[in-house]
Amino acid sequence: MIAGIAVLFIFVIAILVCAITEWMHGGEEAPFDENVTPPDIQERFLTPNEYSRPGTALSEVHGIVIHYTANPGTDAMANRNYFDNLSVTNRKQKNKTYASSHFVIGIEGEIVQCIPLNEIAYASNDRNADTVSIECCHKKKNGKFTKRTYSSLLELTTYLCKRYRLSEKNVIRHYDVTEKNCPKYFVEHEDAWHRFLSDVAAELKK
């Protein structure tokens, strides 16, 4: 009798551990190509919390969404830390902020990953459930990316397209989801945006 209860207790504990692990890591990732080599990425995952890393599974990826930070002069880790601290700062705010991104690219071109690719990020509104998001840092208010930021954005976007078997047609701006002026420079300079898409297409053909 006691042995049977002990076995049942261990079984229940095992189920709880599995459930918690799945919540923290989002479950299975959307189907992807395992043979694609990723760029140099620093994994600095956010602490699981309801405001920036809810742990919801990202079970399908149909697009890559490009954003800008709207914080001129800040680096990738500063923006990553802003997301991570929302669980603390929201306690003092009446109107709660929900925000994050899978990746943040810095002014020097560094790529910081904030959210695992099997979890959603709070970045693209109605497209959170089927997209991977990339935030880009910038030096000035006009939102134009440095050459290093642009180069890393091109490399990361190309990698993600190959990983999820997407084309440049699946790469969109936050603006294309909500008409928000984001990423500012690519919204206000359509030629620059189309040039970026052309660069992605060219890289995908290599």
Side-chain angles (χ1 to χ4, degrees):
M1 179 69 175
I2 295 176
I5 294 175
V7 171
L8 179 61
F9 178 76
I10 293 172
F11 179 71
V12 171
I13 292 298
I15 291 176
L16 287 174
V17 169
C18 290
I20 292 172
T21 300
E22 182 173 352
W23 176 80
M24 291 184 67
H25 298 286
E28 295 184 2
E29 184 180 347
F32 65 94
D33 186 345
E34 299 180 1
N35 298 315
V36 183
T37 303
D40 184 15
I41 296 171
Q42 305 172 41
E43 291 186 353
R44 299 292 186 272
F45 295 149
L46 307 181
T47 305
N49 71 92
E50 63 181 305
Y51 303 108
S52 58
R53 188 186 168 190
T56 305
L58 179 63
S59 57
E60 55 185 0
V61 176
H62 297 151
I64 313 300
V65 187
I66 312 301
H67 306 255
Y68 88 128
T69 62
N71 291 317
T74 58
D75 63 19
M77 280 303 297
N79 284 280
R80 178 265 174 208
N81 292 339
Y82 165 75
F83 295 143
D84 203 43
N85 290 331
L86 284 176
S87 60
V88 176
T89 57
N90 272 326
R91 296 175 188 171
K92 304 175 182 179
Q93 298 178 4
K94 183 177 181 180
N95 297 317
K96 308 301 183 184
T97 299
Y98 297 81
S100 58
S101 181
H102 288 95
F103 299 94
V104 183
I105 300 177
I107 292 173
E108 299 300 322
E110 68 277 19
I111 303 173
V112 175
Q113 185 174 0
C114 306
I115 304 285
L117 287 172
N118 61 348
E119 299 178 19
I120 71 163
Y122 284 147
S124 307
N125 303 80
D126 293 340
R127 295 299 305 274
N128 286 339
D130 74 334
T131 60
V132 172
S133 56
I134 305 173
E135 288 271 2
C136 297
C137 297
H138 49 98
K139 284 187 174 182
K140 300 180 180 181
K141 289 183 178 180
N142 66 3
K144 186 175 183 179
F145 305 145
T146 65
K147 290 182 179 180
R148 290 183 178 180
T149 303
Y150 185 93
S151 178
S152 291
L153 175 62
L154 178 59
E155 184 179 14
L156 179 59
T157 302
T158 302
Y159 160 70
L160 291 170
C161 283
K162 289 180 177 180
R163 180 183 178 93
Y164 293 108
R165 301 179 179 90
L166 304 174
S167 76
E168 74 280 2
K169 296 178 181 178
N170 302 109
V171 180
I172 61 176
R173 302 163 294 185
H174 192 180
Y175 170 82
D176 298 312
V177 181
T178 65
E179 296 190 350
K180 180 179 180 178
N181 194 19
C182 174
K184 181 180 173 68
Y185 193 82
F186 280 161
V187 173
E188 297 180 355
H189 298 80
E190 287 280 345
D191 57 330
W193 172 243
H194 289 296
R195 185 162 56 250
F196 173 69
L197 294 181
S198 294
D199 288 345
V200 172
E203 288 298 313
L204 288 174
K205 291 179 181 179
K206 292 182 178 179

